[in-house]
Amino acid sequence: VDRVQGLSADDADRARAVLQGAERVVVLTGAGTSAESGVPTFRGEEGLWRSFRPEELATPEAFARDPELVWTWYRWRRSLVADCSPNPGHVALARFALRHGATTIVTQNVDGLHTRAAIEAADVGDPAPALPLELHGAIGRDRCSACGAVREALVLEGPAEGPRTIPRCPICDGPLRPDVVWFGEALDAELLERAFERARGADVCLVVGTSAVVQPAASIPITTLERGGALIEVNPEPTPLTPRATISLRGKSGPLLGALLDPA
Ligand code: OAD
């Protein structure tokens, strides 16, 4: 496949042909994939990191210093995500992954929307869908900061107002935290290894809605490229990956993923 930039019907057709013909596809998604569901992205004009400082909210030091502030922010994001549903982009990806069994969706998103779409896309009687690899964790889970026990969050609370107590671990009474990866923390080694293994073996890496500036996730598409696979990017804006993309499609993931992935 030639190296082509910019969106034309031709590019979209070629990207579709590459994806539909691929045997093994790895998909890397970021916050842009959930933008059409109403989940704010991190960077860009309306991004969360314009209004909030990551170091005050999304670091282990911030949690040690002011766990209530951190919880207030995560309760707000939890309530926001609880009101959102998978959009046509999530649905197209989930259905494609069901039809093409060797597809792995790797996401940096913590909103759980790919997982919801995967479960909702499977019909009764289908084999269990392969769930996406959630590299940065899941906002809908709590993890004990003392003993490490993980559980689904018990209550999806409404908007946070005023100070609240810190939830405690039912096993050891340690302070619970959201089960997400914060700045300065390592990703789950086993998940990461699985993601890179899929990237090494993929014919195509489809990268959707990520600014591709956060490592190690941003290296997943490079791994596929270096092993001789193709890189197809879907994003309304160029990213650091764009110059290396085999095909780079400018647009929103909802409509574009349907056009690329749905059966003819
Ligand atoms: P960013 O907010 O950095 O990037 C979002 C990307 O989505 C941008 O490139 C936008 O152009 C694009 N975008 C916006 N709307 C879109 C749409 N409708 N369809 C497709 N693309 C769209 O989010 P991430 O790349 O996911 O990490 O950020 C990576 C990590 O940085 C996050 O997982 C988070 C953050 O700090 C942690 O919290 C560990």
Side-chain angles (χ1 to χ4, degrees):
V1 184
D2 300 333
R3 187 175 294 251
V4 181
Q5 309 292 326
L7 178 58
S8 69
D10 211 31
D11 292 343
D13 286 348
R14 289 188 321 118
R16 180 178 164 83
V18 171
L19 285 161
Q20 299 287 343
E23 275 184 29
R24 289 173 306 270
V25 179
V26 67
V27 183
L28 174 68
T29 76
T33 317
S34 293
E36 289 157 71
S37 294
V39 183
T41 61
F42 293 96
R43 298 168 186 83
E45 275 171 25
E46 312 225 319
L48 287 171
W49 296 152
R50 284 282 170 111
S51 323
F52 300 99
R53 292 162 63 88
E55 63 274 19
E56 283 173 11
L57 296 164
T59 65
E61 293 76 20
F63 187 67
R65 192 169 56 233
D66 192 347
E68 281 195 359
L69 174 71
V70 172
W71 264 116
T72 300
W73 193 62
Y74 276 96
R75 282 188 179 112
W76 170 69
R77 284 184 59 204
R78 249 182 206 176
S79 69
L80 199 150
V81 165
D83 288 338
C84 294
S85 305
N87 67 53
H90 296 111
V91 174
L93 279 169
R95 291 193 178 145
F96 182 85
L98 268 180
R99 285 195 309 277
H100 296 73
T103 299
T104 305
I105 297 172
V106 181
T107 187
Q108 300 165 85
N109 300 345
V110 298
D111 54 36
L113 292 177
H114 285 298
T115 301
R116 275 174 61 187
I119 293 166
E120 287 167 14
D123 285 325
V124 180
D126 274 353
L131 294 180
L133 306 182
E134 296 174 322
L135 278 190
H136 292 169
I139 201 168
R141 287 193 307 254
D142 293 330
R143 170 155 46 97
C144 178
S145 59
C147 76
V150 172
R151 63 166 198 185
E152 290 302 312
L154 288 184
V155 202
L156 281 173
E157 288 147 292
E161 323 105 4
R164 301 207 202 176
T165 52
I166 310 304
R168 315 293 304 191
C169 174
I171 299 168
C172 77
D173 203 40
L176 291 173
R177 53 167 282 180
D179 188 23
V180 299
V181 176
W182 282 331
F183 288 95
E185 292 186 321
L187 277 64
D188 181 287
E190 196 198 311
L191 266 187
L192 197 59
E193 178 45 34
R194 270 164 63 200
F196 275 92
E197 183 195 309
R198 303 303 156 85
R200 287 192 290 272
D203 312 315
V204 190
C205 180
L206 171 63
V207 185
V208 190
T210 177
S211 56
V213 294
V214 173
Q215 295 294 352
S219 297
I220 289 174
I222 301 300
T223 302
T224 301
L225 264 185
E226 287 175 348
R227 290 292 180 112
L231 196 177
I232 296 177
E233 179 178 62
V234 170
N235 198 309
E237 306 285 336
T239 76
L241 287 177
T242 306
R244 302 189 66 176
T246 317
I247 306 172
S248 189
L249 301 173
R250 288 280 156 279
K252 293 187 171 183
S253 52
L256 266 176
L257 290 178
L260 295 177
L261 301 176
D262 285 347

